[in-house]
Amino acid sequence: MTNQELEQMIAYENQANSNANSAQRWQKQAQELERELEQVKAELESLKGETESDRS
C-alpha cells in the first residue's frame, strides 16, 4: 500500500470519526430538546387545569 493510499484511508477514518462525534452531539441535543418539550407540555397542561378551575 502506498503512502498516498494510507493517507487517504486515514483521512476517511478521521472524517468518519468526525461524523460519529457530530451524530452523538446531535443525538444529545435532540434528547435535551425532548426533555424540554415534555416539561413545556406538562406546564401547559398545568396551566390548562388552572384556567379550567378558574372558570368554575
Side-chain angles (χ1 to χ4, degrees):
M1 190 174 286
T2 67
N3 278 348
Q4 185 177 3
E5 289 171 324
L6 286 172
E7 288 172 1
Q8 187 69 41
M9 285 180 62
I10 290 169
Y12 286 145
E13 184 175 359
N14 287 341
Q15 185 62 53
N17 287 336
S18 176
N19 290 349
N21 289 338
S22 292
Q24 286 177 336
R25 282 193 303 274
W26 283 109
Q27 186 175 26
K28 183 178 179 182
Q29 186 174 13
Q31 290 169 343
E32 290 171 4
L33 289 171
E34 284 286 337
R35 280 193 293 275
E36 285 181 37
L37 178 59
E38 290 305 317
Q39 289 173 348
V40 169
K41 284 181 178 178
E43 190 174 335
L44 179 59
E45 286 303 314
S46 173
L47 290 172
K48 281 183 182 178
E50 288 176 19
T51 304
E52 288 171 5
S53 65
D54 288 346
R55 286 189 211 143
S56 357

